[in-house]
Structures are given as C-alpha cells and as structure tokens.
Amino acid sequence: QVQLVESGGGLVQAGGSLKLSCVASGRIFGIYGMGWYRQAPGKQRELVASITTDGGTNYADSVKGRFTISRDNAGNTVLLQMNSLKPEDTAVYYCNRLSYFVSWGQGTQVTVSS
C-alpha cells in the first residue's frame, strides 16, 4: 500500500515561510490529484490546496495568494510553499489524494507564532 510521509513543518514567526514536502512510497501523484490538508486543534481536517493531474490548482480562501502547491507528476513528491504565514495557519498538515484516499500519514506540525 501507498505510504505518505509529510515533512518540512516547524516553528516560524508570523510573516515567515515554510516549504512542506509530501513523499509517497508509490508513484501515485501522476495518476491522481493531490491535496494538502490541515487540522487545527478542535477543528475538522480541511483541504487547503489541491493540484490536479493536469496541473490545475485550487486553494482555500484562507490561504489563497499565500500558499502554492506543486507536484512532480513523474515522481512521488508534492510540495506546499507557504508564505506570509499567520498564527491561524497553525495546524498539522497532511497530504493525500483527492480521491481514492490512502492511509493518512502522521502529518507535519506547522506552528506560527505572533
């Protein structure tokens, strides 16, 4: 089965940047759309950015203009460039396919301090 591993999170000051990486054990990103999700304490997991098989992207209003999702369709990596981070971006960030979900990884913690 496909296994997803997220990395790149950390502690940053408001206004800072982070680049998250999602690596899959299988070559799934060129076959399915991929998304970055996040879950903050007390909240449901939400989709914040997605990229389709043809490279189209979509973003939640809360991150639009600040986050950029990209992928290597020939490989196994999806990235999330996060700029102008805000404290409300604090969450555990996960990646997964937009459909035909595989098991969720442990995510990577992003903490934005003010």
Side-chain angles (χ1 to χ4, degrees):
Q1 283 293 128
V2 174
Q3 187 170 8
L4 300 169
V5 179
E6 301 92 348
S7 63
L11 173 64
V12 297
Q13 296 285 334
S17 297
L18 286 171
K19 191 171 188 177
L20 307 184
S21 176
C22 171
V23 178
S25 61
R27 298 182 299 276
I28 66 170
F29 300 155
I31 301 172
Y32 301 100
M34 291 293 298
W36 279 97
Y37 305 76
R38 69 186 181 188
Q39 186 168 21
K43 297 184 177 180
Q44 297 294 311
R45 183 158 24 214
E46 62 173 338
L47 178 67
V48 297
S50 62
I51 185 165
T52 60
T53 55
D54 64 356
T57 59
N58 199 13
Y59 301 91
D61 288 342
S62 59
V63 308
K64 191 172 297 183
R66 300 187 297 117
F67 291 8
T68 302
I69 187 171
S70 60
R71 71 188 297 168
D72 177 4
N73 287 323
N76 64 345
T77 303
V78 173
L79 305 174
L80 185 68
Q81 178 66 52
M82 310 165 67
N83 298 326
S84 302
L85 284 163
K86 305 175 180 180
E88 50 263 46
D89 295 319
T90 296
V92 179
Y93 284 71
Y94 305 85
C95 63
N96 214 323
R97 302 194 294 211
L98 294 174
S99 60
Y100 301 99
F101 293 139
V102 299
S103 296
W104 295 94
Q106 292 301 304
T108 184
Q109 176 71 51
V110 171
T111 303
V112 185
S113 65
S114 60

